Amino acid sequence: MATYTLTNAVPLSPSLSKSWHRDIGRVVEQALVPHCSKKDHLYLLAGAIPSSVQVKGKVSVPETLWLAACCDAPEGWSLGLVKKMNDENSLVDLTVGELEKQLLAGIHLFRGNCGEDNQSQEKTEAMLQAVSQICSGEQVGTSDKQEAKDSSLVRKVAGIIATPFIKLLELLIYVFVELVKFVFYFLWLVIKRVGGTVLDGVYSLWNGVVSYFKAISMVLISIPYDIGRVIVNIFLGFLQIIQDVASLTYRILCIPVGFVLHLAAFPYHSICAIPSVLKDVATGIGGTFSLVIDATAALLHGFYYLAGHIVKRF
């Protein structure tokens, strides 16, 4: 929340931010660090003095940027630096006490004023002289030009060197993407072909099984029909015998004269009827065996058709 409301930031123009960091970086590297005997005892504080100008009525634009340094070591020293917002090229040095007077009342930047009583005058003067040289611009102009020149040259060389690698990287990325697309397309074709083959095999197997059960069902249905036909033929044969007996009896009763003849002819008719009955019985038995043979042949034909169909598909 603090980041998005800028309450933890100091609004600076790009040019002021660049000059501030450039000048402070040089002061720290070329003056403060070399003149502190213990590098880990060099303490830096930075801040801003707000002005009446505000961003969106919330964050104050600074009037002054400041840096306070304390070298808490034997022959130590302390220093304050101030840059005015209206003069980007200015960098004024002053004592920490003078800097504290420009801040809020009662402010003490370092405990014990950074050992102000034990500070080395020679170290302080040497450090201030180095800061003055940096602030006066003896090294700034040449360094800026050299830095700009070096930066431009480095950018050109880096651009020349990096361009082939960037193009090669783009080519590799393109080849990789196309390879991935080809692999996925190939896998899709394989899955599609295998799936289609499996589905066709399952469909064909299903048709074979249905055909087999259909043939078996037709055979099983035809068995009762054939048995019924045999039974009907046997029954008709007995009816024929009964009819013949009834007709013989009627003739004996109706025509006494022919009774003897009919009586004498009875064994003949009976004997003649036996072959017809035996023929019908033999026909029924033969039909039964024929039915059994047909059913067995149909079953074997169903298994042969199913096996041949499966072998053909696979």
Side-chain angles (χ1 to χ4, degrees):
M1 294 174 63
T3 300
Y4 290 124
T5 57
L6 297 178
T7 55
N8 66 338
V10 178
L12 299 175
S13 64
S15 60
L16 178 61
S17 176
K18 182 177 180 181
S19 66
W20 167 254
H21 289 92
R22 179 194 63 201
D23 295 344
I24 292 301
R26 288 173 180 161
V27 167
V28 172
E29 293 177 1
Q30 301 176 17
L32 304 185
V33 174
H35 291 85
C36 187
S37 59
K38 293 184 177 181
K39 303 298 187 293
D40 56 345
H41 282 220
L42 176 61
Y43 301 97
L44 302 175
L45 294 176
I49 300 175
S51 66
S52 59
V53 181
Q54 293 185 340
V55 178
K56 297 183 180 181
K58 295 182 178 180
V59 181
S60 297
V61 177
E63 178 182 354
T64 304
L65 300 176
W66 57 266
L67 175 74
C70 171
C71 179
D72 185 18
E75 299 182 353
W77 45 263
S78 61
L79 173 70
L81 296 173
V82 174
K83 178 184 283 290
K84 295 292 185 179
M85 293 288 289
N86 53 11
D87 188 4
E88 296 180 0
N89 296 323
S90 68
L91 188 62
V92 181
D93 60 274
L94 67 169
T95 64
V96 174
E98 293 173 349
L99 176 60
E100 290 176 348
K101 292 179 181 179
Q102 299 183 21
L103 305 178
L104 297 176
I107 288 294
H108 295 285
L109 297 178
F110 300 108
R111 186 176 60 183
N113 292 327
C114 191
E116 188 175 13
D117 299 334
N118 299 324
Q119 291 182 0
S120 173
Q121 190 66 24
E122 294 179 359
K123 282 284 186 181
T124 303
E125 291 178 358
M127 185 267 304
L128 289 175
Q129 184 178 2
V131 173
S132 299
Q133 291 177 356
I134 295 173
C135 295
S136 62
E138 292 181 359
Q139 301 177 0
V140 171
T142 305
S143 179
D144 285 345
K145 292 180 181 179
Q146 186 65 26
E147 182 181 354
K149 184 177 180 181
D150 294 343
S151 177
S152 176
L153 180 61
V154 169
R155 288 181 181 178
K156 290 182 180 179
V157 174
I160 295 173
I161 296 175
T163 299
F165 291 100
I166 293 175
K167 294 297 182 181
L168 179 60
L169 181 61
E170 291 178 355
L171 177 62
L172 291 177
I173 292 174
Y174 175 77
V175 171
F176 177 75
V177 171
E178 293 298 325
L179 182 61
V180 171
K181 289 168 61 178
F182 173 77
V183 170
F184 277 102
Y185 181 72
F186 178 74
L187 291 177
W188 164 248
L189 288 180
V190 171
I191 293 173
K192 184 178 178 181
R193 291 297 179 87
V194 173
T197 304
V198 171
L199 291 177
D200 290 341
V202 172
Y203 178 73
S204 301
L205 181 62
W206 171 256
N207 286 336
V209 171
V210 170
S211 300
Y212 170 73
F213 281 106
K214 182 179 179 181
I216 293 297
S217 300
M218 294 299 296
V219 172
L220 293 177
I221 291 173
S222 65
I223 290 176
Y225 172 75
D226 293 337
I227 293 175
R229 188 175 61 180
V230 171
I231 294 174
V232 169
N233 290 332
I234 295 174
F235 180 72
L236 290 177
F238 280 110
L239 287 179
Q240 185 67 34
I241 293 173
I242 293 173
Q243 182 182 1
D244 291 341
V245 172
S247 176
L248 177 62
T249 303
Y250 174 75
R251 288 186 180 186
I252 291 174
L253 294 176
C254 292
I255 306 174
V257 178
F259 174 73
V260 177
L261 296 176
H262 284 290
L263 184 61
F266 176 73
Y268 171 75
H269 286 292
S270 298
I271 293 172
C272 290
I274 289 174
S276 178
V277 173
L278 293 176
K279 179 181 178 182
D280 291 337
V281 172
T283 301
I285 295 173
T288 302
F289 280 106
S290 176
L291 178 62
V292 171
I293 293 172
D294 289 341
T296 303
L299 182 62
L300 293 176
H301 177 71
F303 278 113
Y304 171 76
Y305 174 78
L306 179 60
H309 188 71
I310 292 174
V311 170
K312 180 180 179 182
R313 284 297 177 179
F314 279 100

